Amino acid sequence: MQMHSRFRSDRRLTTRMGITLFLLGLVYVGFVAALIVLLKSWVLVVLVAAAVLGAQYWFSDRVALFAMHGRVVEREEYPELHGVVDRVCAIADMPKPVVAVSDMDMPNAFATGRNADHAVVCVTTGLLRRLEPAELEGVLAHELSHVAHKDVAVITVASFLGVLAGLIVRFAFYSQLFGGGRRDQNTAVVFAAVMGVSAAVYALSFLLIRSLSRYRELAADRAAALLTGRPSALASALTKVSGDIARIPTKDLRTAQAFNAFYFTPALGREPGVARLFSTHPSLEQRLDQLGRISAELGEATAPGGV
């Protein structure tokens, strides 16, 4: 069913998603063709690829919740959280997602699911403890805009290629490691070629996904600020959450980092260093600058009474 929410559409985001999927599709076709030639078993390659893609698409929400220790919560347990979700969904004119909470001190949130009718929004207890209601509303509007713009589904599908390539690299590596003595030289060459192709595909998909992910976060900030009319509340949440995450020991963030592309803010430690160049999110400065411009625009549009 096609959903038309009140989140402002973003043609540039739609264009970027289309280009990313097209380029990844070309890489995927070439990847599968190379594997068929190298492994001489198209049935195995197609079955494995189809199984991984299906699992990514249909079960991504469950995998993310399981990995982040999230659990579905009812209104009786978290009435304030459900109230904010209800309010944002009413303003956005979109179906209410499943609401979940993760018992983690790391302040963060994410949305996942293949479409608006099968979406999940999850917040950590650390986020709930730190944010005021207006700030929480901005964060949830940001997450729900990902669902409305369908970029959650696109990122999930786009991530499939990298996951598949990574699995094949590991499979080839361990096959050589534990079965090298029983293999002839030709087999070793084939496995080395498979690992090389897989590593190249993983690198390409990694860069394409990071580029799309950084833009979609800016698009979600923009859509949330315009929907709620309170960009300053979202900016306050961003500043508060980013500062608190930076104070959490890196060892406590390692599990969460695998899902950075889905988070409100990335789970980076005190010294991100070079990792910043490959981040799934734009810098805090970029996000705050954009929200500042939107705040000024809304202030001019509603003068002299203000927002």
Side-chain angles (χ1 to χ4, degrees):
M1 180 178 67
Q2 183 70 23
M3 184 195 70
H4 299 283
S5 76
R6 293 197 182 102
F7 279 107
R8 186 171 297 187
S9 62
D10 192 315
R11 291 184 179 178
R12 287 181 294 177
L13 175 61
T14 302
T15 300
R16 285 171 180 257
M17 289 192 298
I19 292 173
T20 299
L21 285 178
F22 175 74
L23 292 175
L24 283 172
L26 291 179
V27 174
Y28 174 62
V29 170
F31 183 41
V32 170
L35 291 180
I36 291 173
V37 170
L38 291 169
L39 299 179
K40 297 180 174 61
S41 176
W42 68 270
V43 175
L44 175 63
V45 171
V46 171
L47 285 178
V48 171
V52 175
L53 177 58
Q56 281 278 102
Y57 185 74
W58 290 98
F59 303 114
S60 61
D61 52 347
R62 300 180 195 178
V63 171
L65 280 179
F66 176 79
M68 295 313 301
H69 311 291
R71 61 184 181 89
V72 176
V73 296
E74 301 300 332
R75 184 182 301 276
E76 293 74 20
E77 190 175 0
Y78 283 89
E80 295 86 359
L81 174 60
H82 272 270
V84 176
V85 174
D86 286 339
R87 186 161 59 251
V88 174
C89 289
I91 297 171
D93 190 23
M94 64 185 293
K96 183 179 179 179
V98 172
V99 179
V101 169
S102 172
D103 188 18
M104 298 178 65
D105 186 53
M106 178 189 72
N108 227 320
F110 67 88
T112 184
R114 59 187 183 273
N115 55 45
D117 294 317
H118 299 87
V120 177
V121 62
C122 180
V123 299
T124 65
T125 52
L127 185 82
L128 294 175
R129 283 197 299 270
R130 289 169 170 87
L131 298 189
E132 299 297 325
E135 296 169 335
L136 180 61
E137 182 179 272
V139 171
L140 291 173
H142 169 104
E143 294 303 326
L144 289 175
S145 78
H146 284 313
V147 177
H149 289 156
K150 300 181 178 64
D151 57 82
V152 166
V154 170
I155 282 291
T156 297
V157 173
S159 301
F160 148 74
L161 188 58
V163 170
L164 180 61
L167 287 174
I168 290 175
V169 168
R170 291 187 184 93
F171 174 76
F173 174 76
Y174 286 117
S175 294
Q176 280 296 97
L177 186 65
F178 296 112
R182 299 189 300 273
R183 300 185 185 279
D184 58 27
Q185 188 173 1
N186 289 337
T187 304
V189 170
V190 169
F191 269 85
V194 169
M195 288 187 69
V197 171
S198 299
V201 166
Y202 180 83
L204 284 172
S205 62
F206 179 92
L207 293 174
L208 286 170
I209 291 168
R210 291 306 186 275
S211 177
L212 173 62
S213 183
R214 285 192 292 270
Y215 184 84
R216 85 184 187 110
E217 292 302 328
L218 289 173
D221 284 347
R222 185 163 53 247
L226 293 173
L227 181 78
T228 62
R230 303 178 77 173
S232 59
L234 181 57
S236 175
L238 266 171
T239 303
K240 190 179 294 185
V241 169
S242 298
D244 283 357
I245 285 180
R247 287 190 285 271
I248 293 177
T250 302
K251 63 182 178 64
D252 295 334
L253 300 177
R254 285 174 185 159
T255 300
Q257 286 173 351
F259 291 90
N260 270 348
F262 293 93
Y263 282 134
F264 174 62
T265 54
L268 297 176
R270 295 182 180 85
E271 300 292 338
V274 179
R276 179 74 69 184
L277 299 175
F278 303 104
S279 177
T280 53
H281 291 60
S283 67
L284 176 63
E285 291 74 19
Q286 284 180 281
R287 298 176 77 174
L288 293 180
D289 285 347
Q290 175 181 248
L291 291 172
R293 291 193 299 270
I294 294 172
S295 183
E297 291 169 6
L298 292 178
E300 292 172 358
T302 55
V307 181

